[in-house]
Amino acid sequence: MGIGAVGPDELQARFGIPEILRFEAGAKGLVRAVVCAPQAEAEVYLQGAHVTHYQPRGDRAVLFLSERSRFDRGAAIRGGVPIVFPWFGPKAGEPSAPMHGFARLAEWGVESATQAPDGSVTMVLGLDSESAALPNWPRPCSLRYRVVVGETLALALDVHNRGDTAISYEEALHTYLAVGDVRQVSVTGLAGARYIDKTDGMKRKLQETAFVRITDETDRVYLGTKTTCVLDDPVAGRRFTVEKSGSDATVIWNPWTAKAKAMPDFGDEEWPRMLCIETGNVADHAMTLAPGQRHEMRAMIRSLPR
């Protein structure tokens, strides 16, 4: 299931691409891949298979990364695109289990790295639940994550049930988008959808307006959503599109003031500069895979002039 828990020199010798892809020690010694494709640059930490940076040529960074991200071994990185698996939020009945699951904390292995004729770079990372001895999850399964860095950032998470009984899980690509001022942005693509409002006692509500606007702490799980979301950012003068497949839920999240101050790995005044639009299968849309079955969830993130 790929090479994990090894140094950057060995990874560079096997998977490096001269002037295009290198492996190095990143923040606090965590191994990262640095991609310098013709169309864009990116950084991917092997801990969590975590994309922390993506920036198209001639544009600004697409992803928000907190200045207080800890980059401690075995701790989640705040920002970028964390992988949520196999539960969303706290695990029911197990308060000691890690928030949002173990995938964003584990060391992933590198399976392959290639450059396409158009210049885009594809990395495939893997995680095996048995060899990784993952806590709180005794079920044999394999994860494969494909990251394509080009004119768009294309992400695909494949889950394979390798056991002899069915498995149920939740998953999300917890994408933090960098915005000029979250109070000025609007999101389309969710009109008419039902959502769970996690800031209001998990009440179920209807998105009655065409635009989602952020005016307070926002934590919504939109259900039955397959469409592309478009984030319009007038302050930064650009738009983001988040296109997806294999996903039936979309999460919109911003911590606002009080929650931002309560998080030690998030700056008190950083909340206006980010909005999460998460591609997922959570809550009502948790996945169940029969023995031998697999499922792929994909997200494609694009930055465009406004």
Side-chain angles (χ1 to χ4, degrees):
M1 199 65 188
I3 295 179
V6 298
D9 291 344
E10 183 177 346
L11 292 167
Q12 181 66 26
R14 181 160 182 183
F15 300 107
I17 303 173
E19 299 183 1
I20 299 295
L21 171 64
R22 72 178 185 273
F23 293 86
E24 64 182 24
K28 293 190 177 179
L30 297 179
V31 177
R32 69 183 175 194
V34 178
V35 179
C36 297
Q39 306 98 324
E41 62 183 38
E43 295 180 3
V44 184
Y45 277 78
L46 299 192
Q47 178 170 286
H50 198 129
V51 181
T52 56
H53 175 66
Y54 169 70
Q55 184 170 347
R57 299 294 179 194
D59 198 355
R60 289 151 292 179
V62 168
L63 302 176
F64 165 87
L65 183 68
S66 174
E67 296 173 357
R68 292 193 180 179
S69 294
R70 291 179 292 177
F71 289 98
D72 291 334
R73 194 167 301 279
I77 298 169
R78 177 68 68 184
V81 188
I83 297 176
V84 173
F85 179 92
W87 54 83
F88 181 71
K91 187 180 183 185
E94 291 191 40
S96 63
M99 180 73 73
H100 289 320
F102 53 73
R104 65 181 188 156
L105 309 178
E107 188 79 8
W108 290 59
V110 180
E111 294 192 354
S112 65
T114 57
Q115 186 174 27
D118 69 357
S120 63
V121 173
T122 298
M123 288 183 58
V124 178
L125 307 177
L127 182 65
D128 189 307
S129 65
E130 292 175 293
S131 62
L134 298 169
N136 311 100
W137 186 258
R139 305 160 183 83
C141 68
S142 298
L143 307 182
R144 180 171 284 108
Y145 192 43
R146 187 173 67 251
V147 178
V148 182
V149 178
E151 292 183 355
T152 63
L153 176 63
L155 308 170
L157 179 64
D158 177 271
V159 181
H160 180 202
N161 180 4
R162 297 172 46 249
D164 55 10
T165 59
I167 63 171
S168 295
Y169 64 91
E170 294 174 291
E171 61 181 349
L173 300 176
H174 197 307
T175 306
Y176 288 70
L177 297 173
V179 301
D181 186 340
V182 75
R183 294 162 292 193
Q184 303 297 320
V185 308
S186 61
V187 179
T188 57
L190 299 169
R194 296 277 177 182
Y195 65 90
I196 300 169
D197 190 342
K198 297 177 72 175
T199 69
D200 190 17
M202 306 296 283
K203 290 180 181 177
R204 297 196 173 217
K205 302 178 180 180
L206 177 67
Q207 180 63 42
E208 297 180 342
T209 60
F211 301 97
V212 178
R213 297 190 184 277
I214 311 301
T215 59
D216 204 340
E217 180 187 347
T218 302
D219 195 351
R220 301 178 180 181
V221 179
Y222 284 86
L223 304 170
T225 58
K226 299 179 182 291
T227 57
T228 297
C229 284
V230 179
L231 186 157
D232 185 71
D233 184 355
V235 173
R238 62 178 175 176
R239 291 179 296 130
F240 297 118
T241 62
V242 182
E243 183 180 347
K244 64 177 187 168
S245 65
S247 161
D248 288 316
T250 299
V251 180
I252 304 292
W253 181 72
N254 180 277
W256 211 251
T257 55
K259 184 161 284 187
K261 291 179 180 180
M263 294 188 291
D265 60 346
F266 192 97
D268 292 355
E269 305 302 326
E270 288 186 319
W271 61 268
R273 298 193 283 111
M274 53 73 60
L275 181 66
C276 287
I277 300 181
E278 307 170 36
T279 297
N281 289 301
V282 302
D284 297 10
H285 301 293
M287 296 293 303
T288 297
L289 294 184
Q293 190 176 10
R294 65 196 315 152
H295 175 265
E296 185 177 76
M297 179 178 70
R298 287 173 286 182
M300 187 167 69
I301 300 151
R302 184 190 303 266
S303 174
L304 299 167
R306 187 168 183 262

